[in-house]
Amino acid sequence: MLAPRRAALVAALSAALALGVPGSSTAAGADSADAHSADVYVSPMGDDHAQGIARHPVKTLQRARDLARARSAHADGDLTVHLASGTYRTEKPLVLDARDSGRDGHRIIWQGTGSTVISGGRKVEGWRPVRGRPGLYSAPAPQGLADTRQLYVDGVRAQRARGEVPVGLTVTPTGYTTTADTLAHWRHPSDAEFVYSSGEELWNVERNGLGQWTEPRCRIAEAEGTTLTMVQPCWDNSNKRVEFPDIPGRSVSMVGPGHLTNDGKASYIENAYELLDQPGEWYLDRSARTVYYLPRKGEDLHRADVEAASAEKLVDGRGTAEAPVHDVAFRGLQFSYATWLTPSRPEGFSEIQAGYTITGPTGWATQGLCGFVEGGTCPFASWTKMPGNVSFTYGKRIEFSDSIFTHLGAAGLELGTGTADSRVSGSIFTDISGNGLEIGGVDGQTPSSGVEVTNNHLYGLPREYHGAVGILNGYTQHNTIAHNQLDHLGYSAISMGWGGWPDKIGSPATPNPSHDNAVSDNLIFDYMQMFDDGGGIYTQGMTGTSLADGEQVTGNVIYDQWGLGKSVYTDNGCTYETVEGNVLYGASYANVASRHTDYRDALGNNDPTLIKDNWWEEGTSDGDNKGLVTTGNRIMTSPADVPASIIENAGPEPAYEGILERGTGALSVPEAPSRVGTSTAGADALYTTFNPSFVEGGSRVLSYTAHALRPDGTEAAAATASAADYKRLAYIRIGGLPEADGPFTVTVTADNAQGSSAASLPSAALRPTAATVLSDAPSAPKLRTAATAATVAWTPPKNMGDAKVIGYRLTLSDGRTIEVSGRDALVGQPSAKGMFRVIGGLTPSTAYTVTVAAVTAAGAGPAVTVKATTKAG
């Protein structure tokens, strides 16, 4: 009889072979064939002292790399590293350099089976109930785990313990003074991290942070009595950003304010034992080396696979300009369970935009401020990019295909400085803390070029750094981003370019090497689900030297934006962009915008931009606005108006559509909604609005329930709306709230087929009151007509009476009344952003009158009127 360990090894190897490891023939003569093959074979149950042939695989990626390095000189063609199914745990990244490249036009291919996982995780085992804390469990931290920011239970991300800041805060130069010494009595207050969520001001939802698109994070350094000292340099980098002396409030970076807004108020606090109160929350006590977790319903920690993300890199391609890594492919692999610890350190996460941060002890004073302050580092806007858990610099002909990037704690994949002629295709990016895919950089180094990103699915991200984006593309040349699907995203889907902000002070955008980039035929929807001031495709900075070599945004279908922004956003300094043949609808503010002055000459022209032959709802008339050309665009009332071929062509091509159905982990309840706010809905009722759950748990959200809580935390009333109704209205009405029981806070849960999410963080408290004063009338109405449809546009009222705007009422001269609702109706008034809606079913060459009135809890206010005649048929 075989010894138990030997029997297990044989069984595991047999299973790996049965799963079809290429070249693993069991026929006579296989060993002889192995002896003449340059290929390398690897199995989680292998032995690094083995030969690395099919029958005797090695165990680790590092040993496989070394064998491939030695054998590649003798390979007749491509050399394949065959990775059997299973999990390859790595404490250190697989480091590749020029020696690990293909030779003589051939490649080194790291080939998985589709069930091959490269993991930076460590198992957490030995769970026991915590005495005195019903439902809470603890386990010893795995050997070698000093810190982590992510924990996963059976493939589902757990939430770092979080809650409301339990004390009042008054900002100081080094942190805060507090209204009580509560935090000083916590177990480890220096573990706790303040989070500053931004987004637009809406109802009583606060705007914190460093701009509507950001979510900076800084840890507490020390809590002594009522004095909180925050870690440095995170605190200074977030509060001392240099401002122009003659432009109050304008930081020299020209991106966001010079300090944390709203008097430095934190949105919530995270990572403390005292905050463990919701199922799915966890905390690592580093000094006691103990992990705490509050299980979700149905979880059995004695059987569960609990993984703590440990490694910060999984694959690290370290090419140089003189010696690039080249001709390497990764296929059929899953990259998972990696973390990123810089935000937990004194550096923190002082965000600028899209995961770029200010770093270093004097970053606030000099970093990326080239030419604007003495000692400013160059180039302008060269801040610190979020790293990738899988990354390459100076990589040529690098390929990632048929792979999955999930359960990751930084950016998923980074194809950085000097990447050339490389490809990412047929892959999935989801459950990633930050940016999904990063291409190139903005630091003045060699731009990436010839990178193709096609037929991928990016969704359900970012999970932690909510200002991150699906695809981040810096200064690049001849790159193509095409036929991808990006959906259920917290902020922008695709972000292009950089460095255009100097036009805010009347200076030209920063020169950069970008040109000939194309963003085409992508399908983008349900984006900007948490933050504002972004877009489906967002670009800023110079994109080329003419419309011929500038950025081409063509054939994309972009719809159902939640946050305030644009479908295609041409932001500061965006020059020579062509926006042509796209389908753009369901935006909250504009389909294509914005207009910026081109400060490279003294003529006062606009940045050269061509907006041509799009299907949209915006309805802007044809014209040439000093270089901003709008021509041939069509008003659409629904996707049915658009030629089917355009819609069908967007997103993954037929051969790749299977990635949309490919699961990446266990089903779970949704993530909790965020940024909950309330408004009065009468003497005994409240309206509540919130940002929806864009992480649905692999099963679509069916409904939301709003819970009104008395000051003692007991539930006073609740109301449920289907996900479709909430999407349409953007609020839920909760009735039956006696004024005497208030003021009330509101939490929201999301429901899918697996159950209910944890409760959201609570809204600010509000007491219902009867609304009696009607809103003012909207202003600046316009009616932009086609033959059978028209876009009616208006500016929200400046004064809204004693309640918040919840919608608008359009009355047409043909007898119709149209009720306008949605998130843009709610946020348009406080942000003073324009509104528009399309009216269909009109008769050509006919005069129409439309009135527009704002609706609040008090009813419809006075209306404004606009008239126009439809075009001839």
Side-chain angles (χ1 to χ4, degrees):
M1 179 179 291
L2 292 171
R5 187 177 182 279
R6 173 65 176 161
L9 176 61
V10 170
L13 290 175
S14 298
L17 294 173
L19 283 171
V21 177
S24 58
S25 171
T26 59
D31 282 335
S32 175
D34 287 340
H36 295 89
S37 172
D39 284 2
V40 178
Y41 292 81
V42 199
S43 166
M45 299 301 292
D47 184 342
D48 276 357
H49 293 95
Q51 297 171 275
I53 59 178
R55 288 184 177 274
H56 301 287
V58 295
K59 182 175 184 177
T60 67
L61 304 179
Q62 287 76 11
R63 180 57 179 156
R65 173 203 60 199
D66 294 345
L67 288 175
R69 185 180 289 173
R71 295 178 185 178
S72 62
H74 308 292
D76 294 331
D78 293 344
L79 185 154
T80 300
V81 179
H82 301 276
L83 297 165
S85 295
T87 298
Y88 296 80
R89 295 185 181 275
T90 180
E91 299 177 10
K92 297 180 179 179
L94 173 64
V95 176
L96 304 176
D97 58 32
R99 295 171 294 174
D100 305 301
S101 304
R103 298 190 182 187
D104 302 323
H106 301 299
R107 295 163 295 182
I108 293 181
I109 302 170
W110 294 77
Q111 178 70 61
T113 66
S115 300
T116 302
V117 180
I118 298 176
S119 169
R122 296 176 184 264
K123 278 184 173 291
V124 184
E125 300 174 307
W127 293 95
R128 294 183 178 182
V130 176
R131 291 182 180 179
R133 289 290 306 272
L136 185 65
Y137 282 74
S138 68
Q143 184 67 30
L145 181 73
D147 197 4
T148 185
R149 294 180 65 89
Q150 292 85 30
L151 188 78
Y152 301 85
V153 181
D154 285 333
V156 177
R157 182 181 292 233
Q159 170 65 54
R160 284 213 304 175
R162 66 178 182 175
E164 294 180 275
V165 180
V167 292
L169 300 173
T170 301
V171 71
T172 70
T174 58
Y176 299 95
T177 56
T178 63
T179 53
D181 62 355
T182 305
L183 296 177
H185 295 288
W186 282 11
R187 285 189 179 189
H188 304 293
S190 61
D191 282 350
E193 184 174 285
F194 280 175
V195 183
Y196 306 86
S197 297
S198 195
E200 292 288 349
E201 291 177 318
L202 172 60
W203 294 4
N204 61 4
V205 183
E206 295 174 335
R207 178 196 294 173
N208 302 319
L210 291 161
Q212 297 94 303
W213 54 90
T214 65
E215 192 176 58
R217 294 166 169 263
C218 287
R219 188 168 53 78
I220 296 172
E222 184 181 32
E224 184 174 349
T226 58
T227 299
L228 294 185
T229 303
M230 304 299 288
V231 294
Q232 294 286 13
C234 186
W235 185 250
D236 280 355
N237 286 337
S238 302
N239 284 285
K240 294 176 66 174
R241 297 179 182 180
V242 182
E243 296 183 351
F244 288 109
D246 54 345
I247 312 177
R250 170 67 70 196
S251 64
V252 175
S253 74
M254 291 168 267
V255 189
H259 55 83
L260 292 166
T261 55
N262 197 20
D263 297 322
K265 187 171 181 180
S267 302
Y268 60 94
I269 187 170
E270 190 173 278
N271 198 42
Y273 176 85
E274 290 76 8
L275 298 171
L276 287 163
D277 62 356
Q278 289 268 2
E281 288 188 332
W282 70 280
Y283 167 69
L284 169 63
D285 187 327
R286 292 178 296 158
S287 62
R289 296 196 46 76
T290 301
V291 182
Y292 294 92
Y293 180 65
L294 196 58
R296 300 178 179 98
K297 183 179 179 180
E299 290 178 334
D300 181 353
L301 294 182
H302 299 298
R303 298 182 178 182
D305 174 25
V306 182
E307 301 279 349
S310 179
E312 294 193 69
K313 287 274 190 183
L314 298 176
V315 178
D316 192 2
R318 300 177 183 176
T320 66
E322 297 75 22
V325 185
H326 60 87
D327 298 291
V328 180
F330 298 85
R331 301 173 181 172
L333 302 173
Q334 177 174 318
F335 302 94
S336 293
Y337 303 124
T339 190
W340 177 39
L341 296 178
T342 295
S344 295
R345 297 173 180 138
E347 198 74 72
F349 189 74
S350 180
E351 189 170 24
I352 282 277
Q353 184 174 329
Y356 279 89
T357 57
I358 295 182
T359 58
T362 60
W364 59 273
T366 61
Q367 191 171 16
L369 301 183
C370 179
F372 290 98
V373 300
E374 185 176 353
T377 60
C378 296
F380 174 72
S382 177
W383 297 297
T384 302
K385 184 173 62 176
M386 176 185 296
N389 290 134
V390 177
S391 68
F392 274 82
T393 55
Y394 289 102
K396 291 188 176 181
R397 296 180 296 281
I398 306 299
E399 175 196 324
F400 286 88
S401 61
D402 189 29
S403 292
I404 298 174
F405 297 81
T406 187
H407 313 325
L408 298 173
L413 172 61
E414 177 188 3
L415 298 178
T417 294
T419 303
D421 302 325
S422 297
R423 179 183 301 173
V424 182
S425 64
S427 295
I428 295 172
F429 296 77
T430 189
D431 190 21
I432 297 169
S433 288
N435 297 317
L437 169 62
E438 297 178 337
I439 312 168
V442 296
D443 54 4
Q445 303 300 311
T446 305
S448 74
S449 62
V451 176
E452 295 182 5
V453 179
T454 59
N455 293 293
N456 302 287
H457 188 198
L458 301 96
Y459 70 99
L461 61 91
R463 296 298 305 271
E464 189 172 359
Y465 311 107
H466 294 113
V469 302
I471 299 174
L472 179 68
N473 184 92
Y475 294 153
T476 63
Q477 302 169 355
H478 297 286
N479 284 2
T480 298
I481 300 173
H483 287 292
N484 303 287
Q485 179 168 311
L486 300 98
D487 60 271
H488 293 83
L489 304 170
Y491 182 51
S492 296
I494 299 173
S495 183
M496 304 284 291
W498 204 248
W501 297 289
D503 77 359
K504 292 175 182 277
I505 59 167
S507 296
T510 306
N512 73 69
S514 292
H515 60 79
D516 290 289
N517 293 311
V519 186
S520 304
D521 305 313
N522 299 286
L523 177 61
I524 300 171
F525 60 94
D526 288 341
Y527 60 99
M528 290 179 62
Q529 296 284 289
M530 187 167 177
F531 285 157
D532 297 273
D533 201 4
I537 299 171
Y538 171 92
T539 303
Q540 52 106 347
M542 299 177 69
T543 77
T545 62
S546 67
L547 284 172
D549 72 358
E551 184 177 310
Q552 304 290 311
V553 177
T554 61
N556 303 282
V557 176
I558 306 174
Y559 66 94
D560 285 3
Q561 170 188 301
W562 185 263
L564 191 65
K566 295 95 177 178
S567 309
V568 177
Y569 192 165
T570 59
D571 203 4
N572 297 104
C574 179
T575 56
Y576 301 123
E577 178 166 327
T578 297
V579 183
E580 183 174 1
N582 304 282
V583 179
L584 313 170
Y585 63 99
S588 181
Y589 183 34
N591 289 135
V592 183
S594 299
R595 179 183 63 81
H596 293 281
T597 301
D598 185 351
Y599 290 103
R600 294 173 301 163
D601 55 43
L603 302 178
N605 292 323
N606 295 317
D607 286 323
T609 307
L610 176 62
I611 305 170
K612 180 182 179 183
D613 294 339
N614 300 285
W615 295 85
W616 64 357
E617 296 177 317
E618 185 176 331
T620 302
S621 301
D622 288 359
D624 184 345
N625 187 357
K626 298 181 179 179
L628 173 59
V629 177
T630 305
T631 181
N633 302 289
R634 304 169 180 85
I635 294 175
M636 57 179 290
T637 60
S638 77
D641 295 339
V642 180
S645 59
I646 298 177
I647 302 239
E648 292 169 358
N649 190 53
E653 295 172 286
Y656 292 89
E657 288 178 348
I659 66 170
L660 303 178
E661 305 300 325
R662 188 174 175 184
T664 60
L667 297 175
S668 69
V669 299
E671 190 172 53
S674 62
R675 304 194 74 235
V676 182
T678 55
S679 172
T680 186
D684 66 346
L686 292 175
Y687 295 118
T688 185
T689 187
F690 50 89
N691 289 67
S693 301
F694 61 90
V695 178
E696 297 191 304
S699 177
R700 66 185 181 90
V701 173
L702 301 173
S703 62
Y704 294 98
T705 300
H707 309 263
L709 308 177
R710 300 181 182 91
D712 64 4
T714 60
E715 185 170 296
T720 297
S722 70
D725 281 347
Y726 182 71
K727 188 173 186 177
R728 175 175 57 85
L729 295 172
Y731 65 83
I732 296 175
R733 186 181 186 278
I734 313 172
L737 299 174
E739 184 177 353
D741 287 359
F744 301 95
T745 58
V746 174
T747 62
V748 184
T749 54
D751 298 281
N752 66 10
Q754 313 309 311
S756 297
S757 73
S760 69
L761 293 167
S763 70
L766 185 68
R767 191 185 301 275
T769 57
T772 59
V773 180
L774 298 174
S775 166
D776 283 356
S779 61
K782 298 179 179 64
L783 198 58
R784 304 161 181 161
T785 61
T788 61
T791 298
V792 57
W794 66 93
T795 301
K798 292 182 178 180
N799 299 306
M800 53 190 171
D802 54 6
K804 308 295 185 183
V805 171
I806 60 170
Y808 293 87
R809 183 168 296 162
L810 309 184
T811 305
L812 281 62
S813 54
D814 64 8
R816 285 184 286 169
T817 297
I818 299 173
E819 300 292 341
V820 173
S821 58
R823 205 262 189 177
D824 58 336
L826 276 56
V827 76
Q829 195 281 330
S831 62
K833 301 297 187 184
M835 292 280 302
F836 64 90
R837 284 296 188 273
V838 173
I839 302 170
L842 304 181
T843 302
S845 303
T846 302
Y848 285 90
T849 299
V850 180
T851 65
V852 186
V855 179
T856 68
V864 64
T865 300
V866 61
K867 299 179 180 180
T869 299
T870 52
K871 300 184 184 304

